[in-house]
Amino acid sequence: MKKIITFIVCFVYMTGFAQDDFAEERKQMVKTQLEARDITDPATLQAMLKVPRHLFVPEKIKKYAYRDGALPIGNDQTISQPYIVAYMTQALQLKPQDKVLEIGTGSGYQAAVLAEIVDSVYTIEIVKPLGIIADKLLKRLGYTNIYTRIGDGYHGWPEQAPFDAIIVTAAVQEIPPKLLEQLGEGGRMIIPVGETRVQRNLILATKKDGKINRKKLIPVVFVPFTRDKN
Ligand code: SAH
């Protein structure tokens, strides 16, 4: 009996310790990569502190999950740098009752960060294996307010429009017109736009009285937006 209790105590201690290890790294990430820069929105910081980023990267690079950079997630795709995830989230000026559309589920990390802040997140991924893995993980983590779909996000998600906010996490040359259409009145869209790799900028598009206003934010590097050829 004593042995069993000792074992249980050790096990709980060790698993607790392992979790704390990542919690501490996450805290440092928020402090040094986000707060030390220009991330001030409390909801964004809280979400970045909570979502276990290490679970969204492949097992063998878990230890690098909280580094100040993007990481490969397979199928030639990447999970964005924590700062960029936070920057885009903050730029969307989210409210708890918002309905958000994401194009480019990838690992599902950005969707999880959004789901911590808003009412519902609709996310579309064009690469099937990535979409399936992300959906499984998000369900396992208990996110019941994230709806996933496999397909070409160029068309948006018309059945669920309008959206209060839209986030595109792959670089386009031009903003897809259907996404602008599906943005509700007063809505915000954040999207990397540019002709070539070196010219890409994050654009914040807002809709007021049916008119779109575009604001250029910071230069960024993103994987390209692809199209379904079917
Ligand atoms: N938000 C992701 C980052 C993913 S990288 C994360 O948090 O991990 C960009 C993703 O956009 C890739 O997975 C890529 O396959 C996807 N993508 C590219 N073009 C797309 C399109 N037309 N529709 C949907 N997803 C697309």
Side-chain angles (χ1 to χ4, degrees), residues 73 77-80 85 102-111 124-127 130 151-154 169-170 223-228:
I73 53 168
Q77 304 303 328
T78 55
I79 177 173
S80 300
V85 173
E102 179 192 31
I103 309 298
T105 315
S107 68
Y109 177 66
Q110 173 77 72
I124 308 178
E125 171 56 52
I126 200 165
V127 178
L130 288 179
D152 186 349
Y154 185 83
T169 64
V223 295
F225 192 91
T226 54
R227 295 299 316 280
D228 200 347

Side-chain angles (χ1 to χ4, degrees), residues 1 14 21 31 45 70 72 86 112 140 153 158 177 180 204 207 226:
M1 187 64 183
M14 279 165 71
D21 236 20
K31 200 169 148 196
L45 291 168
R140 178 157 74 81
L180 289 172
L204 179 69
K207 195 183 258 189
T226 54

Side-chain angles (χ1 to χ4, degrees), residues 11-211:
F11 184 76
V12 168
Y13 177 77
M14 279 165 71
T15 48
F17 194 70
Q19 272 168 9
D20 273 351
D21 236 20
F22 281 114
E24 189 49 42
E25 279 194 50
R26 202 153 52 243
K27 224 160 119 185
Q28 283 307 314
M29 178 265 282
V30 168
K31 200 169 148 196
T32 62
Q33 300 173 34
L34 310 183
E35 287 175 330
R37 293 180 177 138
D38 52 358
I39 308 301
T40 54
D41 172 45
T44 301
L45 291 168
Q46 194 56 41
M48 296 293 293
L49 198 57
K50 190 168 170 203
V51 180
R53 182 172 162 93
H54 58 281
L55 300 182
F56 291 84
V57 301
E59 181 67 31
K60 53 180 193 299
I61 56 167
K62 216 174 181 172
K63 57 179 181 291
Y64 307 128
Y66 296 97
R67 280 192 175 178
D68 193 12
L71 289 170
I73 53 168
N75 294 80
D76 291 330
Q77 304 303 328
T78 55
I79 177 173
S80 300
Q81 177 190 7
Y83 173 68
I84 293 297
V85 173
Y87 184 95
M88 292 174 87
T89 306
Q90 173 169 275
L92 288 174
Q93 302 154 51
L94 300 168
K95 294 180 283 304
Q97 66 273 25
D98 282 352
K99 183 177 189 181
V100 181
L101 173 67
E102 179 192 31
I103 309 298
T105 315
S107 68
Y109 177 66
Q110 173 77 72
V113 169
L114 294 167
E116 291 289 341
I117 304 174
V118 300
D119 179 71
S120 51
V121 178
Y122 292 81
T123 180
I124 308 178
E125 171 56 52
I126 200 165
V127 178
K128 196 172 177 185
L130 288 179
I132 291 172
I133 293 170
D135 181 67
K136 272 197 194 137
L137 176 61
L138 292 167
K139 286 208 169 80
R140 178 157 74 81
L141 293 177
Y143 287 102
T144 52
N145 60 338
I146 302 178
Y147 305 90
T148 65
R149 179 181 263 190
I150 311 276
D152 186 349
Y154 185 83
H155 310 289
W157 196 318
E159 307 89 317
Q160 290 297 334
F163 296 96
D164 301 295
I166 299 180
I167 176 169
V168 181
T169 64
V172 296
Q173 296 196 352
E174 301 252 356
I175 304 181
K178 287 204 181 135
L179 297 185
L180 289 172
E181 267 169 37
Q182 291 173 26
L183 190 62
E185 176 58 27
R188 293 85 54 200
M189 180 191 301
I190 185 106
I191 178 165
V193 186
E195 290 289 320
T196 65
R197 222 165 212 288
V198 285
Q199 286 177 354
R200 273 172 201 149
N201 288 292
L202 276 182
I203 302 292
L204 179 69
T206 48
K207 195 183 258 189
K208 201 167 169 244
D209 301 323
K211 273 182 60 188

